[in-house]
Amino acid sequence: MSTADRAERVPKQDRSRATRRRLLEAAVACLAEHGWAGSTVSVVAERAGVSRGAAQHHFPTREDLFTAAVEYVAEERPTALRALFPEGAGADDRRAVIAALVDLYTGPLFRAALHLWVAASNEEQLRPRVTELESRVGRETHRIAVDLLGADESRPGVRETVQGLLDMARGLGLANLLTDDATRRDRVVRQWAALLDEALG
Amino acid sequence: MSTADRAERVPKQDRSRATRRRLLEAAVACLAEHGWAGSTVSVVAERAGVSRGAAQHHFPTREDLFTAAVEYVAEERPTALRALFPEGAGADDRRAVIAALVDLYTGPLFRAALHLWVAASNEEQLRPRVTELESRVGRETHRIAVDLLGADESRPGVRETVQGLLDMARGLGLANLLTDDATRRDRVVRQWAALLDEALG
């Protein structure tokens, strides 16, 4: 490949990556706002300002686009979480860490993931992919939680304590779906942060 | 009204009540299996062995039928829970009570309610009714939980401790949607039951 070819190729790859990213972000927003039934490749392409053909070049099927979208945003979460505690988190930060973990489940990503998740329970084409994605994201979230909480999983019960916290966070996310549940949630999080702080030692 | 009229009227009311109940039960099963998109009055009428006209006599709209169905099954839950602990529950029963509360969120009713809930987040016709239903069922579940756990809500933090438990139960229900999560769930419930037992004193 000549130097001139290479110079032309790099911006093309950049453009392609930028298009892909626009599609993924539009897909998450679309899923969060309109649910699975209202989310198609065409709707997302239009929202992203990309032609339908270009969208289908990147994502041949609807299932490809939306699972990739949830995966893309989910992959940003560990980085975002660690950025909140750039020096790592100490025992004093535990309540802040618990609040940050719960926040993962109240934004547009959780709404989008929830729609995909519920749709997958009735759609055979979606189910295996979402199951696999969900379990991968779940393991990664658990790993970050253990790390930021400074939880010692070699002690009996600690693993299940952290898992229960993430289950509670998921339930709080669900409770926030139809109404703004922030006031109640803050009180619950404060109380359970105190209980968990004690349990984690 | 003559005695003969009355004699004829009672069985008619009974038949009407039985038809209504068959429709409600079929509606919950349909919602749990096929989700909101696959759940219509016609599908439910056929499943219940009732004519479409009769179904529409009882429930004029799709929203009427499915919110009534989730409400109907939800109303049976307090009775079913109390029946598990006919003499009331003592401090020794706490772990069993917590397990029973969590079980509320893993059966077909929770799946049905979840589909309705998620659909309501994008459908304006459904949203206010489901929001109201959800908050009523939530308050009632909280009341039973406080009662069976023997939780003293006049003590600071106790209310939020119980709320967090129910949020965790909801999150565990969601985790059970795509895969059978029973083994992990049992371990989490055992550990959180121990934390709660200590917190409630």
Side-chain angles (χ1 to χ4, degrees), chain A residues 9 20-21 29 33 35 38 47 61 99 107 114 129 136 152-153 189 195:
Chain A
R9 176 164 282 211
R20 191 183 147 85
R21 201 168 49 230
E33 280 171 35
R47 185 175 190 133
T61 70
L114 182 62
R129 301 176 66 159
R136 197 145 35 85
D152 175 6
E153 290 202 302
V189 168
L195 295 176

Side-chain angles (χ1 to χ4, degrees), chain A residues 33 35 115 117-118 121-122 127 131 157 161 163-165 167-168 170-172 175 178-179 184 188 191-192 195 199, chain B residues 33-35 115 117-118 121-122 127 131 157 161 163-164 167-168 170-172 175 178-179 184 188 191-192 195:
Chain A
E33 280 171 35
H115 282 294
W117 209 345
V118 167
S121 78
N122 308 117
R127 193 184 179 110
T131 304
T161 300
Q163 286 182 332
L165 166 65
D167 287 312
M168 187 187 73
R170 202 183 296 123
L172 286 167
L178 297 183
T179 49
R184 187 191 74 93
V188 171
Q191 171 64 7
W192 273 94
L195 295 176
Chain B
E33 280 171 36
H34 305 297
H115 282 293
W117 209 344
V118 167
S121 77
N122 309 117
R127 191 184 180 111
T131 304
T161 301
Q163 285 182 332
D167 287 312
M168 187 197 70
R170 202 184 295 123
L172 286 169
L178 297 183
T179 50
R184 186 190 75 93
V188 172
Q191 171 65 8
W192 271 57
L195 296 178

Side-chain angles (χ1 to χ4, degrees), chain B residues 62-79:
Chain B
R62 190 184 178 204
E63 288 76 17
D64 292 332
L65 172 58
F66 290 98
T67 49
V70 168
E71 182 164 23
Y72 167 75
V73 189
E75 276 171 355
E76 292 187 331
R77 303 201 314 181
T79 317

Side-chain angles (χ1 to χ4, degrees), chain A residues 79-130:
Chain A
T79 318
L81 260 185
R82 293 196 199 276
L84 288 176
F85 305 94
E87 331 249 300
D92 288 351
D93 299 316
R94 239 182 220 155
R95 294 179 192 206
V97 167
I98 289 171
L101 287 168
V102 168
D103 281 349
L104 293 180
Y105 296 84
T106 52
L109 171 64
F110 177 74
R111 292 176 90 88
L114 182 62
H115 282 294
L116 196 67
W117 209 345
V118 167
S121 78
N122 308 117
E123 302 217 4
E124 285 313 316
Q125 275 175 294
L126 210 48
R127 193 184 179 110
R129 301 176 66 159
V130 175

